[in-house]
């Protein structure tokens, strides 16, 4: 995600599978009740224990003038423990019906976003099951970038970080449970609807348009989205034939010039981080004045202020954030440090010929006396500061690390990390161990000063290698 007005402040544990949330009993010790949360340090009630989702099939009928949806979500999952009840995360409209394996189930909504479901029969561990949830009602706008945004034309986009999906479909909303995703949607015929993945249907019958979007690669909930507007489209192909589809709201058609460079951006990033990890790419450029653009998988969502730098940032996230994902939200630097460094340093340096070493030196010297700039650590910044230091200090850290290791070691290491951890969840701790293993010298104090420190690192860590010159 890129935040308008923040991203340019300074120029702008063990590996785990993301498809297997830990089986956890509910508080109180009932072994047949799935936990209502998975204990993320920042969002402990995100996600739910007792099952693993394999696929979401979301059916939505959306009426733009009324901001009303009629939805039915079908979830294919496998129990990881015996379950007499389990939870989903959902903040959307009123629920009319819930069924498990085709049989009506009891349900209740509780807490901020919990949907507790009690099936007619206990679910057995290792056995697949299907949950269907039907719901309908008006949706409400969230201008904070964590749900629905209503567009100037009367359309809407729903995307946001860390939580947005739960506002339009029920899910296991955690960093630890990826699943494949299909969206079937209908809107009035004069409107278009765009989502992630491949479009496999777009037909008009009478006064209704029906679309289908399919995602073959697994995706986290917050990386899904839908957008409804009177879109214009840009269709491109990479040299390898991969399709690129981008959509532009009526007030965002001037952004085509940035998206026309998407094939170039993808080629540039593949040289850095390895093969593009998905089967399609593109973007949705809307014209709402909100403060976030977001790396929704395969097709980022761009706010009205987005430019080419933003495109480079969000497409970098397809490697760092969408393929290589965080284990916990405290690991946010894995996402934002790399996206911001690539957009603010590597692209300007290699494509535009900018002297980024000099820019780095100037940024450090401007910030040395700014205590507030250093007080939020990159490692575990805290839930109130999650989207702060990773954007401002993160690029500085990676540039200093690059100079500490040397270009050959640095670029080979980050490429290896991105390619060997493709489609898995990892952590800052694992990245630190990995990068130390590639260094010819002990850099643990360097990493500690940059990642854990709340004051400026020592000068030898601020200006390593060739940065000491000039």
């Amino acid at each position: 995600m890129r935040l308008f007005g923040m991203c340019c402040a300074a120029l702008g544990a063990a590996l785990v599978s993301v498809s297997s949330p830990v089986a956890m009993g509910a508080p109180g010790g009932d072994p047949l009740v799935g936990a209502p949360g998975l204990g993320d340090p920042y969002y402990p009630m995100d996600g739910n224990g007792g099952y693993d989702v394999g696929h979401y099939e979301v059916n939505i009928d959306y009426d733009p003038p009324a901001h009303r949806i009629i939805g039915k979500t079908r979830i294919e999952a496998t129990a990881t423990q015996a379950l007499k009840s389990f939870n989903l995360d959902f903040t959307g409209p009123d629920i009319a019906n819930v069924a498990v394996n085709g049989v009506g189930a009891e349900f209740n909504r509780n807490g901020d976003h919990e949907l507790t479901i009690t099936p007619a029969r206990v679910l057995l561990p290792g056995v697949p099951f299907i949950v269907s949830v039907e719901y309908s009602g008006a949706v409400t706008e969230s201008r904070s970038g964590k749900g629905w945004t209503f567009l100037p034309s009367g359309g809407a986009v729903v995307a946001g970080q860390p939580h947005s999906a739960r506002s339009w479909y029920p899910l296991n909303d955690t960093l630890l449970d990826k699943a494949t995703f299909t969206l079937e949607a209908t809107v009035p015929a004069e409107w278009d609807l765009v989502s992630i993945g491949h479009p496999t249907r777009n037909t008009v019958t009478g006064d209704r348009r029906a679309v289908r979007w399919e995602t073959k690669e697994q995706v986290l909930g917050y990386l899904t989205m839908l957008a409804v507007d009177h879109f214009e489209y840009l269709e491109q192909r990479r040299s390898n034939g991969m399709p690129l589809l981008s959509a532009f709201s009526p007030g965002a058609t001037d952004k085509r010039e940035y998206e026309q460079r998407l094939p170039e951006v993808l080629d540039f990033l593949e040289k850095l981080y390895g093969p593009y990890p998905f089967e399609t790419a593109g973007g949705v450029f809307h014209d709402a004045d909100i403060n976030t653009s977001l790396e929704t998988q395969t097709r980022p969502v761009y706010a009205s202020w987005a430019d080419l730098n933003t495109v480079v940032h969000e497409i970098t996230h397809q490697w760092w954030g969408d393929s290589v994902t965080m284990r916990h939200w405290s690991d946010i630097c894995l996402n934002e440090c790399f996206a911001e460094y690539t957009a603010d340093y590597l692209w300007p340096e290699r494509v535009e010929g900018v002297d980024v070493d000099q820019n780095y030196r100037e940024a450090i010297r401007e910030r040395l006396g700014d205590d507030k700039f250093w007080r939020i650590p990159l490692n575990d910044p805290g839930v109130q500061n999650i989207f702060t230091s990773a954007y401002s200090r993160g690029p500085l850290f990676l540039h200093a690390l690059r100079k500490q290791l040397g270009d050959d070691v640095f670029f080979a290491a980050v490429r290896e990390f991105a390619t060997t951890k493709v489609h898995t969840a990892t952590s800052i701790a694992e990245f630190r161990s990995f990068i130390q293993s590639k260094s010819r010298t002990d850099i643990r104090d360097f990493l500690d000063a940059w990642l854990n420190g709340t004051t400026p690192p020592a000068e030898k860590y601020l200006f390593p290698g060739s940065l000491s010159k000039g």
Side-chain angles (χ1 to χ4, degrees):
M1 179 174 69
R2 168 156 280 194
L3 305 177
F4 179 70
M6 176 182 294
C7 58
C8 298
L11 294 182
L15 176 67
V16 297
S17 169
V18 293
S19 61
S20 300
V22 177
M24 298 172 62
D30 190 331
L32 299 183
V33 176
L38 291 178
D40 184 275
Y42 293 176
Y43 304 103
M45 296 306 292
D46 277 10
N48 307 280
Y51 62 92
D52 173 29
V53 177
H55 181 70
Y56 295 98
E57 183 168 313
V58 181
N59 289 266
I60 294 289
D61 181 286
Y62 181 64
D63 179 15
H67 303 305
R68 181 178 177 85
I69 63 171
I70 301 171
K72 181 177 181 179
T73 295
R74 182 179 186 272
I75 302 170
E76 299 175 10
T78 300
T80 57
Q81 66 180 71
L83 289 172
K84 68 179 182 183
S85 70
F86 60 93
N87 285 16
L88 296 170
D89 300 298
F90 187 55
T91 59
D94 291 343
I95 296 172
N97 184 63
V98 175
V100 177
N101 294 329
V103 179
E106 295 182 6
F107 66 92
N108 72 80
R109 304 181 74 164
N110 54 88
D112 292 334
H113 51 82
E114 301 296 334
L115 169 60
T116 302
I117 298 171
T118 304
R121 297 180 179 85
V122 172
L123 304 175
L124 300 179
V127 177
F129 65 95
I130 295 172
V131 183
S132 297
V133 182
E134 299 176 23
Y135 47 98
S136 64
V139 296
T140 57
E141 186 173 28
S142 171
R143 297 294 290 182
S144 64
K146 296 181 181 179
W148 291 83
T149 296
F150 300 149
L151 303 179
S153 66
V157 61
V158 54
Q161 184 178 325
H163 310 118
S164 59
R166 62 180 63 167
S167 69
W168 61 289
Y169 68 95
L171 75 160
N172 195 21
D173 200 1
T174 170
L175 296 173
L176 301 178
D177 197 1
K178 281 188 175 184
T180 53
F181 179 84
T182 300
L183 173 63
E184 296 258 10
T186 55
V187 291
E190 65 271 22
W191 294 88
D192 297 310
L193 188 147
V194 177
S195 188
I196 63 172
H198 293 276
T200 58
R201 183 169 70 235
N202 189 331
T203 59
V204 174
T205 304
D207 63 351
R208 306 297 293 173
R209 181 184 303 275
V211 301
R212 180 179 175 91
W213 293 82
E214 298 183 13
T215 303
K216 296 180 180 178
E217 298 97 351
Q218 293 188 329
V219 60
L220 294 173
Y222 85 94
L223 298 174
T224 64
M225 65 87 182
L226 68 79
V228 178
D229 212 336
H230 303 295
F231 289 117
E232 292 185 14
Y233 293 95
L234 172 64
E235 296 186 57
Q236 304 179 89
R237 285 192 179 272
R238 297 188 66 193
S239 59
N240 63 5
M242 188 180 81
L244 311 176
L245 179 63
S246 304
F248 304 85
S249 289
T253 55
D254 60 326
K255 307 297 183 182
R256 290 176 70 97
E257 63 176 297
Y258 307 132
E259 196 70 349
Q260 284 171 339
R261 299 186 70 176
L262 180 57
E264 178 188 359
V265 172
L266 289 165
D267 289 347
F268 173 80
L269 294 172
E270 281 196 336
K271 292 176 183 177
L272 292 172
Y273 305 128
Y276 179 68
F278 305 110
E279 293 185 341
T280 187
V284 175
F285 292 77
H286 65 75
D287 50 359
D289 185 21
I290 61 174
N291 67 352
T292 60
S293 295
L294 184 66
E295 63 270 19
T296 43
Q297 189 164 298
T298 69
R299 192 160 289 105
V301 174
Y302 297 101
S304 60
W305 46 266
D307 56 13
L308 179 60
N309 183 272
T310 315
V311 172
V312 176
H313 177 105
E314 303 302 350
I315 297 300
T316 301
H317 273 311
Q318 304 304 302
W319 283 263
W320 297 95
D322 293 18
S323 172
V324 179
T325 57
M326 304 172 286
R327 184 183 182 190
H328 295 132
W329 283 103
S330 55
D331 297 311
I332 190 66
C333 184
L334 283 174
N335 289 18
E336 302 301 344
C337 293
F338 275 98
E340 200 72 352
Y341 182 61
T342 306
D344 281 359
Y345 280 73
L346 298 182
W347 178 272
E349 177 186 43
R350 298 191 171 196
V351 178
E352 300 166 356
V354 173
D355 182 353
V356 295
D357 283 357
Q358 183 59 31
N359 287 349
Y360 171 90
R361 294 187 195 100
E362 292 174 359
I364 290 295
R365 287 168 181 147
E366 288 175 3
R367 294 294 187 176
L368 279 178
D370 184 354
D371 292 341
K372 292 182 179 180
F373 182 79
W374 302 99
R375 70 183 181 187
I376 301 171
L378 289 170
N379 180 57
D380 196 5
V383 66
Q384 299 300 323
N385 300 306
I386 184 172
F387 302 118
T388 56
S389 59
Y391 293 88
S392 55
R393 284 175 55 190
L396 302 179
F397 157 61
L398 287 177
H399 197 63
L401 177 63
R402 170 184 169 186
K403 296 303 177 178
Q404 175 73 32
L405 297 175
D407 278 11
D408 289 347
V409 174
F410 175 83
F411 286 110
V414 296
R415 181 185 176 95
E416 181 181 344
F417 194 86
T419 54
T420 57
K421 306 301 187 275
V422 65
H423 300 311
T424 61
T426 186
S427 66
I428 287 290
E430 185 176 358
F431 177 75
R432 289 174 68 152
S433 296
F434 176 85
I435 211 73
Q436 173 61 70
S437 74
K438 300 299 180 180
S439 176
R440 300 182 183 94
T441 61
D442 188 338
I443 59 169
R444 286 176 294 180
D445 289 344
F446 170 94
L447 293 172
D448 188 64
W450 271 104
L451 293 173
N452 295 85
T454 56
T455 58
E459 185 170 346
K460 64 181 178 179
Y461 301 143
L462 286 173
F463 300 105
S466 61
L467 285 175
S468 61
K469 303 174 183 178

